[in-house]
Amino acid sequence: MLVRINTAPRMPIDGQLAALASERMLSEFRYRRGSEIFGEREEPEYVYQIVSGAVRTYKLLPDGRRQINAFHLVGDMFGFENETTHRFTAEAIVETHVHLMRRTSILEAVRNGGAGAKDLIKFVTQNLQHAESHMLLLGRKTSLERVTAFLLEMDERLQHPDVMILPMNRRDIADYLGLTLETVSRALSILRDEGLLRFDGNSQRRLELVDRGALAKIDA
Amino acid sequence: MLVRINTAPRMPIDGQLAALASERMLSEFRYRRGSEIFGEREEPEYVYQIVSGAVRTYKLLPDGRRQINAFHLVGDMFGFENETTHRFTAEAIVETHVHLMRRTSILEAVRNGGAGAKDLIKFVTQNLQHAESHMLLLGRKTSLERVTAFLLEMDERLQHPDVMILPMNRRDIADYLGLTLETVSRALSILRDEGLLRFDGNSQRRLELVDRGALAKIDA
DNA sequence: ATGCCTGTTTGATCTCGATCAATGGTCCGC
DNA sequence: GCGGACCATTGATCGAGATCAAACAGGCAT
């Protein structure tokens, strides 16, 4: 029997910004695990599309508290700015290959009208939509609901693989969900003990959602 | 001596979507205190600009927990959707007058290129920017930091009036900040006791920021 | 294999904000 | 004026999640 896992196909990218991406591609670039792609307050030069790997974008408070806005997976675009500075930092979670586009060429495409503007509005709107539901999660959900919502979000974005391989560690998940890593770990253990998910073999990053229906009921 | 309070000038609106707003205006509409302007999952027909009053937009969980995404004040636009359903509910906090534009005429303006698309991208990006900093607040700030951030946000949006009149009650503030109304009240009392703000006269909704510098230091 | 580093789980305890509860104020219309 | 529906503050207690702490992997270089 074939077991589908979320090993990313390296090439065929079904872009969110297809009309923009196809033509204006510049080159491919590689980032090491943990390395910074761009920093908060830096001047934006490129827009990025992930060919392989995974990226976290986050904001920091002066004392080091971190909030991860979003995880970006294969095919996702990120880094677009309308203003002259980046609003957050982007880091490669694992070794990551990206395609670059010049920001100015995107802006030019908008100026010229056509599909570019519409695509870009759609892209920004999707980000906004994600942010809005994440505010509901951060403001009003319990820790178990948050972790469940995270699992279901990843499951969907990875197209419901039999075995889900998470690129990020527990601290990343915690900083995405507004929790501590211990609380994330405890929530996962509860879901495991209740038979809703299984840790797969040796690695705690590989997991299998056994009962998606029950998980969906927990996520209010 | 003249005391500036944030009584809104009724007419001159310095719109975020000026290029779109000017031409396509349909008519003015009035909403009673507490009444719904549109509901989550409804089909979007109009985009709104506030002439006077204030609006809250929020999402609900099935059990009634509420997260307010944003407060909209005089001059603000809200209600634009790229999709075929609204992503949240909008309610008038106090008696509110709005200008309506047909959503379709906005979309048409985008299709025709020109300033419309650029304005719309800017509008959605500003919303996204606000959502991103609000995620940091909801995920990682303490209750005192949240309330302080709220006061400074309102202060700035009302252009630093001597006396700030808040249209929303403590529960609204709490649901915006991911807290309970009691915690909001306690935080305000702390700031009052430390001399950073004053409640003005009879109403607890009228307040004066005495030491904006100290407040800015609290908001990490 | 050995040793080190990073990551994860689990347990014990603490604390901030939630919950439960009571009181008083404000703004209404009558 | 008075009654009643909010609305806000404050106090007492509770509890979910944070913090502190320990043990135990797994991965990787040597």
Side-chain angles (χ1 to χ4, degrees):
Chain A
M1 179 189 148
L2 194 69
V3 175
R4 294 177 310 116
I5 62 172
N6 61 338
T7 47
R10 238 189 81 89
M11 235 354 223
I13 293 193
D14 190 17
Q16 299 156 312
L17 261 175
L20 290 173
S22 53
E23 291 302 308
R24 281 164 259 279
M25 210 69 86
L26 257 184
S27 59
E28 188 165 320
F29 209 84
R30 184 182 74 89
Y31 293 93
R32 248 184 235 87
R33 178 178 186 315
S35 66
E36 181 173 307
I37 298 172
F38 57 78
E40 205 171 335
R41 314 241 137 263
E42 270 182 25
E43 195 180 327
E45 192 168 359
Y46 303 109
V47 179
Y48 305 80
Q49 183 170 36
I50 300 182
V51 177
S52 70
V55 169
R56 60 182 167 244
T57 55
Y58 62 84
K59 284 171 176 285
L60 287 179
L61 290 174
D63 65 359
R65 281 173 284 173
R66 183 177 69 157
Q67 178 62 42
I68 294 180
N69 302 298
F71 294 115
H72 303 279
L73 308 179
V74 172
D76 292 348
M77 307 205 54
F78 66 95
F80 171 74
E81 295 291 346
N82 206 23
E83 309 293 319
T84 57
T85 57
H86 277 297
R87 304 186 303 263
F88 39 71
T89 303
E91 278 175 6
I93 298 175
V94 293
E95 160 138 345
T96 297
H97 292 247
V98 299
H99 276 144
L100 304 180
M101 277 159 284
R102 289 214 171 275
R103 170 177 171 270
T104 49
S105 84
I106 303 259
L107 292 177
E108 192 198 342
V110 171
R111 228 171 288 121
N112 296 341
K118 203 156 151 280
D119 270 13
L120 191 54
I121 289 168
K122 188 172 179 194
F123 172 67
V124 180
T125 302
Q126 280 170 351
N127 285 346
L128 180 57
Q129 223 153 339
H130 179 267
E132 284 164 349
S133 33
H134 209 56
M135 285 193 280
L136 177 60
L137 178 147
L138 292 171
R140 289 300 178 217
K141 289 188 182 178
T142 67
S143 63
L144 196 62
E145 288 165 352
R146 291 179 202 210
V147 171
T148 304
F150 166 75
L151 292 172
L152 291 172
E153 181 192 348
M154 286 300 141
D155 181 53
E156 178 160 349
R157 291 175 61 189
L158 297 170
Q159 294 152 72
H160 312 290
D162 293 327
V163 175
M164 181 159 63
I165 303 178
L166 299 175
M168 70 290 284
N169 64 24
R170 301 291 190 256
R171 173 171 296 282
D172 287 338
I173 299 173
D175 285 351
Y176 179 59
L177 298 178
L179 300 170
T180 60
L181 66 93
E182 292 93 333
T183 299
V184 170
S185 178
R186 280 183 237 273
L188 289 172
S189 297
I190 289 170
L191 296 173
R192 185 216 332 111
D193 293 349
E194 301 204 333
L196 306 193
L197 71 84
R198 259 198 289 273
F199 290 92
D200 203 68
N202 31 19
S203 171
Q204 293 125 324
R205 303 263 186 104
R206 294 160 160 263
L207 41 90
E208 182 187 344
L209 303 190
V210 176
D211 189 344
R212 290 180 172 86
L215 289 169
K217 274 186 69 182
I218 289 175
D219 179 24
Chain B
M1 178 190 148
L2 195 69
V3 176
R4 294 177 310 116
I5 62 171
N6 60 340
T7 47
R10 237 190 82 90
M11 234 353 221
I13 294 193
D14 189 15
Q16 300 155 310
L17 261 175
L20 290 173
S22 53
E23 291 301 309
R24 279 163 260 278
M25 210 69 85
L26 258 183
S27 59
E28 188 167 320
F29 209 85
R30 185 182 75 89
Y31 293 94
R32 248 183 235 86
R33 178 179 192 289
S35 65
E36 181 174 307
I37 299 172
F38 57 79
E40 206 170 335
R41 313 242 137 261
E42 271 181 24
E43 193 179 331
E45 192 168 1
Y46 301 109
V47 178
Y48 305 80
Q49 183 169 37
I50 299 182
V51 177
S52 70
V55 169
R56 59 181 168 245
T57 54
Y58 63 84
K59 284 172 177 284
L60 287 179
L61 290 174
D63 64 0
R65 282 173 284 173
R66 183 177 68 158
Q67 177 63 41
I68 294 181
N69 302 298
F71 294 116
H72 303 280
L73 308 178
V74 171
D76 291 349
M77 305 205 55
F78 66 94
F80 171 74
E81 297 289 345
N82 207 22
E83 310 294 319
T84 58
T85 57
H86 278 297
R87 304 185 303 265
F88 39 71
T89 303
E91 279 175 5
I93 298 175
V94 293
E95 159 138 345
T96 297
H97 293 247
V98 299
H99 276 144
L100 304 180
M101 277 159 285
R102 289 213 172 276
R103 170 176 172 271
T104 48
S105 85
I106 303 258
L107 293 177
E108 191 197 342
V110 171
R111 228 171 287 122
N112 296 341
K118 203 156 152 277
D119 270 12
L120 190 56
I121 289 168
K122 188 174 178 192
F123 171 68
V124 180
T125 301
Q126 280 171 350
N127 286 346
L128 180 57
Q129 222 152 339
H130 179 267
E132 284 163 350
S133 33
H134 209 56
M135 286 193 278
L136 177 60
L137 178 148
L138 293 170
R140 288 302 179 215
K141 289 188 181 178
T142 67
S143 63
L144 196 61
E145 287 166 352
R146 292 179 201 212
V147 171
T148 304
F150 166 75
L151 292 172
L152 291 172
E153 182 193 347
M154 287 299 142
D155 182 53
E156 179 162 349
R157 291 176 60 189
L158 298 169
Q159 293 151 73
H160 312 290
D162 293 326
V163 176
M164 181 160 62
I165 303 178
L166 299 175
M168 69 291 283
N169 64 25
R170 300 292 189 257
R171 173 171 295 281
D172 287 339
I173 300 172
D175 285 350
Y176 179 58
L177 299 177
L179 299 171
T180 61
L181 65 92
E182 292 94 332
T183 298
V184 170
S185 179
R186 280 183 237 275
L188 288 172
S189 297
I190 289 170
L191 296 173
R192 182 208 345 103
D193 293 348
E194 300 204 333
L196 306 193
L197 70 83
R198 259 198 291 272
F199 289 92
D200 202 70
N202 31 20
S203 172
Q204 294 126 322
R205 303 261 186 106
R206 293 159 159 265
L207 41 90
E208 183 185 344
L209 303 190
V210 175
D211 189 344
R212 290 180 172 84
L215 289 169
K217 274 185 69 182
I218 289 175
D219 179 24

